[in-house]
Amino acid sequence: MNDSLPALIERLHAFSGIAHKRDIQQVAKQLRDAWPASCPNGDDCALIPDGNGYKLLAMEGFINSFVAEDPWFAGWCGVMVNLSDIAAMGGRPLAVVNALWDDALPHATQILQGMAAASRAYQVPVVGGHTNLRSDRPQLAVAILGETTHPLRSNTVQPGQTLMAAINLQGRWHPPGYNWDAATQANPDSLRQALSLLPSLAAEGLIQSAKDISQAGLAGTLVMMLESCGLGAELKLQQIPIPSEVVLEHWLCAFPSFGFLLAVEEEHCDEVKQRFAHCGIGCAAVGHFTPERKLIMQYQQQRACYWDLAEQPLTGMNNQ
């Protein structure tokens, strides 16, 4: 980074992934009365009690231009991003369904081939869905069912806990945009091993909360996590795991394929780091959670506020 931290923050605020998350505010306002009082806002999945454990339900929709221009990768991502949502809640996936609209079978075939490839790699079955091949444009939404006995909740983060980032650095950019592909060329066994680590760490009590890094990028995802738990954080940019050839600003906006923000008690940090390293995943302590509802960034000798949640919501999904 060659300029000031405030200048970087200004550019990050203009990132399109942030604008998309702001749109959630309108949905949150309209649906607030429909949510059960027992369902905290802002988690990656719906958490549904089921006997001695819980079922997890998540869904992702994709921007039409992405589906139209990169159909195979859109299909792959339809499975992959939902699996990350399940893992972020301490869960294991059970099955995937999809809703696909398209105007041409050859194009739809590429989407389905991408989904099938991800299903095979992660060994999670696609069990059904909805298809319409007479639409005026390609559209894709994918949902997933999972389960957990030790759920990770955003609203359980406590001040003083360490903020860790676990990211697969062994990938490459998948243009356009800041999609870091650490999955499509990876060994499937490694993909499954890394993903299963989160529910294992949750069951052992080694991590208290997790959030998968979404299209909002690392910085935007952290704001969403803080919004859910009603806290703030100090984020040390120089400690974030990053590929050697990648610019920090781009990395803060990237969707990293496998990337999670974690809340960890200090005494467990070394063990968590080692467990991710064993799976080939870069993991480091990058800050800590604070009572004040601000995300403060630090870089070298500079320190500045990236987001003040007391003054400005992002998604409107919170535990207040």
Side-chain angles (χ1 to χ4, degrees):
M1 189 174 75
N2 298 320
D3 54 5
S4 69
L5 181 56
L8 171 65
I9 288 173
E10 184 175 355
R11 293 195 299 273
L12 292 176
H13 283 172
F15 173 52
S16 62
I18 295 295
H20 292 160
K21 298 303 181 183
R22 286 182 188 272
D23 293 344
I24 298 174
Q25 290 186 39
Q26 302 305 315
V27 177
K29 290 177 182 177
Q30 298 300 321
L31 293 180
R32 193 172 301 277
D33 291 342
W35 296 332
S38 61
C39 182
N41 302 335
D43 280 329
D44 288 304
C45 303
L47 188 67
I48 305 166
D50 179 31
N52 295 325
Y54 299 86
K55 287 292 187 287
L56 295 166
L57 185 61
M59 184 175 185
E60 297 279 352
F62 296 87
I63 297 172
N64 290 347
S65 59
F66 172 51
V67 179
E69 295 165 11
D70 202 349
W72 189 95
F73 191 56
W76 175 284
C77 288
V79 174
M80 179 179 68
V81 300
N82 276 289
L83 294 176
S84 291
D85 284 341
I86 296 293
M89 295 282 291
R92 301 182 187 276
L94 295 174
V96 174
V97 296
N98 72 91
L100 171 63
W101 295 261
D102 215 319
D103 55 0
L105 185 59
H107 188 271
T109 297
Q110 294 180 66
I111 297 173
L112 295 170
Q113 288 175 343
M115 291 186 63
S119 173
R120 290 191 298 270
Y122 290 102
Q123 293 188 356
V124 181
V126 179
V127 299
H130 169 84
T131 304
N132 184 330
L133 297 180
R134 300 176 185 273
S135 177
D136 62 346
R137 74 197 71 176
Q139 294 177 292
L140 177 66
V142 181
I144 189 167
L145 181 68
E147 61 183 359
T148 182
T149 54
H150 295 82
L152 298 173
R153 309 292 291 272
S154 296
N155 66 332
T156 61
V157 182
Q158 297 297 314
Q161 289 177 339
T162 300
L163 170 64
M164 301 190 76
I167 309 174
N168 190 343
L169 308 181
Q170 302 173 57
R172 63 207 59 79
W173 289 120
H174 185 107
Y178 299 121
N179 290 310
W180 182 256
D181 181 4
T184 62
Q185 303 301 313
N187 182 296
D189 290 339
S190 298
L191 294 177
R192 296 191 297 271
Q193 183 184 27
L195 208 60
S196 66
L197 181 56
L198 282 105
S200 295
L201 293 173
E204 294 172 48
L206 294 176
I207 57 177
Q208 278 61 58
S209 184
K211 188 83 170 174
D212 74 302
I213 300 173
S214 70
Q215 291 288 347
L218 188 152
T221 299
L222 181 52
V223 174
M224 295 166 64
M225 188 176 189
L226 299 177
E227 198 169 28
S228 296
C229 64
L231 297 177
E234 298 262 352
L235 174 64
K236 299 177 181 180
L237 299 183
Q238 288 178 283
Q239 296 183 12
I240 295 171
I242 180 173
S244 59
E245 71 275 19
V246 172
V247 176
L248 175 62
E249 180 177 339
H250 298 166
W251 196 238
L252 291 172
C253 298
F255 169 68
S257 294
F258 182 100
F260 295 86
L261 299 174
L262 313 170
V264 183
E265 296 290 354
E266 184 177 0
E267 63 266 27
H268 298 319
C269 289
D270 287 344
E271 174 68 13
V272 169
K273 180 178 179 179
Q274 291 174 15
R275 295 279 287 275
F276 276 106
H278 181 72
C279 293
I281 305 297
C283 183
V286 297
H288 63 277
F289 293 92
T290 64
E292 189 176 18
R293 299 179 64 215
K294 294 181 179 180
L295 172 52
I296 304 298
M297 288 183 169
Q298 299 177 24
Y299 186 78
Q300 296 178 343
Q301 303 303 314
Q302 302 178 70
R303 186 173 183 273
C305 179
Y306 173 75
W307 206 283
D308 185 347
L309 282 165
E311 298 292 333
Q312 183 182 29
L314 177 55
T315 66
M317 307 285 281
N318 58 60
N319 196 43
Q320 305 302 308

